[in-house]
Amino acid sequence: MTTTVVDPPARSFRPLAGVLTAMAVSTTGTRVSAIALPWFVLATTGSATTTGLVAFAEMTPYVLVKALTGPLVDRLGPRVVSWTTDAVSAVAAGLVPLLHAHGLLPFWLLLAMVAVIGAMRGPGDLAKSVMVPEAADQAWVPMERATGLSGVTERLASTIGPAVGGGLVALMGPLAGLAVNAATFALGSLVIAVALPRGMGRPAVPGAAASSSGSSSGSEGEGEQGGYWLMFREGFAFLRSEPLLLAVIVMVGITNLLDAGFTTVLVPVWARESGNGPAAIGLTAGVMGATAVVGSLIAAAVASRLPRRTVFFAGFLLCGAPRFLVLALGAPMWVVVTVFAVGGFGSGFLNPILGAVLFERVPRHLLGRVHALGDSLAWAGIPLGGLLAGGAVALVGLIPSLLTAGLLYFATTTLTALRPEWREMDRLRGHTSTAVVEQEAEPARA
């Protein structure tokens, strides 16, 4: 009996750099739009409820389409999905300022354009995220470090985007921010389509997991070659069998709902009522993003040696309820900025830990489906966040809304930590990704 020795693929940082660049560009534009669009609606309608409705129109298709496109990402390949959806988003985002400038943008059409952007952003964001583990394998970078770098990229873009968005809105009006959003979508599409090396982001290989385990039945490969709903059910069945991932989804789903209402309605209304204006939105978000970059950098460097559960819930304690409380108390601007800075630092540790846990526990051939379902369930409350926050402000006012949301945030991120599932966070630390097996098995079959 002879053993075939397969050389590992040559080390290359180009795939990781390309994916992170595309993520940075698209996230920057999205963060610019997150300031420009609510301010545009507030300026033209003066209604917090209408502002929440626009957020609902964007995030509902984002969540629904993202949940349903996991099998398509696995079947078509994340690269194709990423550049095509970004291209469509660029067209839709560019039409908003163009049509408004010509007086051809009634409110219903604005909602339609925003819905298209949300529907395209969902699978586009998913596809970029799915390519991170493959890029990490080609760069020979540990998964926890790769997710840390992804977190740094997201946080850095979340720093630059709000700062640029606040400045543009203050100096040139919200339509300039919406135009920048369109340009970043176009650039992100170009990076994925042209800059990544050939063969990057291919469809999931049917039967790879079965081959790697030595099985000759091919049953898993048949599942990969099955229809859309069979692939969807496989992802759902796996997610249902993972108590830790389900616990993460429930907790993050609640905090995402509260964060959505905070960002899209409560902060803009606070900025208007306090007299600080759109520049304050950009300042607070920019400072929080800057310190989150620092937190993510530290996480990328040392998170593999820290207890995940403790760090995870400590980060949520810093970045959650204090933001709501400081705005409700009418604190001076320097206090607000300080609280947001501390919260940003804590939040920088969250996504690297969550990303590493996900990539360690999910087989690569199921990653698109499981990632899509998990993200969509965790984001399911985001469309309602703006609506609920807008309705709460209209009903009881800004300060009671901030206090109630802050209390809910605190309860969610502290009581959840008592559940036993969270002890699993460190169990598979450093577990070998199935992607390495797949990449080594592929040349052997050829």
Side-chain angles (χ1 to χ4, degrees), residues 37-52 54 107 110 272:
L37 185 59
W39 198 261
F40 171 70
V41 178
L42 274 176
T44 54
T45 69
S47 169
T49 302
T50 303
T51 303
V54 172
F107 186 67
L110 172 63
R272 186 182 63 175

Side-chain angles (χ1 to χ4, degrees), residues 34 38-39 42 47-56 59 252-271 281 320 323-324 327 340 378-394 397-406 408-409:
W39 198 261
L42 274 176
S47 169
T49 302
T50 303
T51 303
L53 181 60
V54 172
F56 177 82
M59 295 313 303
V252 175
I254 297 173
T255 60
N256 278 345
L257 182 149
L258 297 171
D259 281 328
F262 184 76
T263 302
T264 61
V265 175
L266 298 181
V267 171
V269 172
W270 163 80
I281 308 176
R323 292 174 296 143
F324 296 81
L327 298 189
F340 274 68
W379 284 51
I382 290 181
L384 299 175
L387 283 179
L388 293 175
V393 170
L398 176 62
I399 293 177
S401 300
L402 285 167
L403 291 174
T404 301
L408 290 173
Y409 210 113

Side-chain angles (χ1 to χ4, degrees), residues 251 306-322 342-350 353 409-410 413-414 417 422 425:
M251 191 194 78
L306 297 176
R308 286 177 175 172
R309 182 183 180 186
T310 302
V311 173
F312 182 73
F313 285 102
F316 260 122
L317 185 63
L318 293 176
C319 75
V342 173
F345 179 77
S347 70
F349 288 83
L350 302 179
I353 292 175
Y409 210 113
F410 178 79
T413 55
T414 53
W422 298 98
M425 291 193 87

Side-chain angles (χ1 to χ4, degrees), residues 343-428:
F345 179 77
S347 70
F349 288 83
L350 302 179
N351 285 345
I353 292 175
L354 289 178
V357 169
L358 174 71
F359 293 139
E360 286 171 355
R361 305 184 78 89
V362 180
R364 190 64 54 82
H365 68 288
L366 293 175
L367 188 57
R369 283 159 277 178
V370 176
H371 200 339
L373 285 169
D375 274 8
S376 297
L377 291 172
W379 284 51
I382 290 181
L384 299 175
L387 283 179
L388 293 175
V393 170
L395 184 64
V396 300
L398 176 62
I399 293 177
S401 300
L402 285 167
L403 291 174
T404 301
L407 179 62
L408 290 173
Y409 210 113
F410 178 79
T412 299
T413 55
T414 53
L415 297 179
T416 307
L418 302 177
R419 293 194 57 84
E421 294 90 347
W422 298 98
R423 298 173 189 151
E424 291 283 305
M425 291 193 87
D426 290 283
R427 186 171 65 85
L428 295 180

Side-chain angles (χ1 to χ4, degrees), residues 12-63:
S12 174
F13 289 98
R14 180 181 170 188
L16 186 58
V19 172
L20 294 180
T21 299
M23 292 174 67
V25 169
S26 63
T27 302
T28 299
T30 300
R31 296 299 184 268
V32 170
S33 178
I35 291 178
L37 185 59
W39 198 261
F40 171 70
V41 178
L42 274 176
T44 54
T45 69
S47 169
T49 302
T50 303
T51 303
L53 181 60
V54 172
F56 177 82
E58 180 177 9
M59 295 313 303
T60 298
Y62 180 100
V63 172

Side-chain angles (χ1 to χ4, degrees), residues 195-231:
L196 292 186
R198 186 184 300 273
M200 175 75 181
R202 294 176 299 177
V205 180
S211 298
S212 67
S213 64
S215 172
S216 60
S217 66
S219 60
E220 204 161 348
E222 291 172 3
E224 287 286 342
Q225 295 173 342
Y228 168 87
W229 288 111
L230 177 58
M231 295 178 69

